[in-house]
Amino acid sequence: MSLYLKDADSSIDHGIDWSAHLAGQSIVASLWSVAPVEAGGLSVEASAFEGLRTSVRVSGGLIGRLYRLTNRVTLSDGQVDARSVTFRVEEC
C-alpha cells in the first residue's frame, strides 16, 4: 500500500494503471471508496475508467488523519480485484 500526502484544501487526481494485473482482461466496472467515512473527511468527487486504467478525484480530509482509498474493479471475465492507497492529510 502506498502513502501519499494531501493538503486538506486541495482536490487531487489519482490513477491506477491495472495493465500489469489484467492478463488480457479489461476493466468493465470501477468503484472507489474511502475509509473511514466521517464528516469533513476525504471524499470522492469524480471517477472514471477505461480499458486498463482507473482514475479518481478526491477532496477534503481532516488534518492529521489517514484515509484508505480503495479501487474495486470488475474485469471482463467476471473477476473482481481491488487496490488501495493511503492518504495522510496535512496543512501544506
Side-chain angles (χ1 to χ4, degrees):
M1 193 179 310
S2 300
L3 176 67
Y4 297 92
L5 297 178
K6 182 196 169 303
D7 185 275
D9 294 326
S10 68
S11 292
I12 61 170
D13 294 330
H14 180 75
I16 298 177
D17 180 352
W18 288 85
S19 60
H21 308 284
L22 297 184
Q25 302 301 314
S26 61
I27 297 169
V28 297
S30 171
L31 177 66
W32 292 88
S33 61
V34 175
V37 174
E38 59 187 352
L42 191 73
S43 63
V44 172
E45 286 186 4
S47 64
F49 70 93
E50 60 182 11
L52 306 175
R53 187 167 171 75
T54 59
S55 62
V56 66
R57 176 167 291 156
V58 294
S59 63
L62 301 173
I63 294 172
R65 299 282 297 181
L66 291 172
Y67 297 93
R68 185 177 64 248
L69 177 65
T70 301
N71 182 211
R72 182 173 306 279
V73 297
T74 302
L75 305 180
S76 53
D77 67 353
Q79 293 184 73
V80 175
D81 198 357
R83 297 283 183 273
S84 296
V85 296
T86 301
F87 280 91
R88 178 176 173 83
V89 178
E90 295 186 356
E91 189 170 355
C92 301

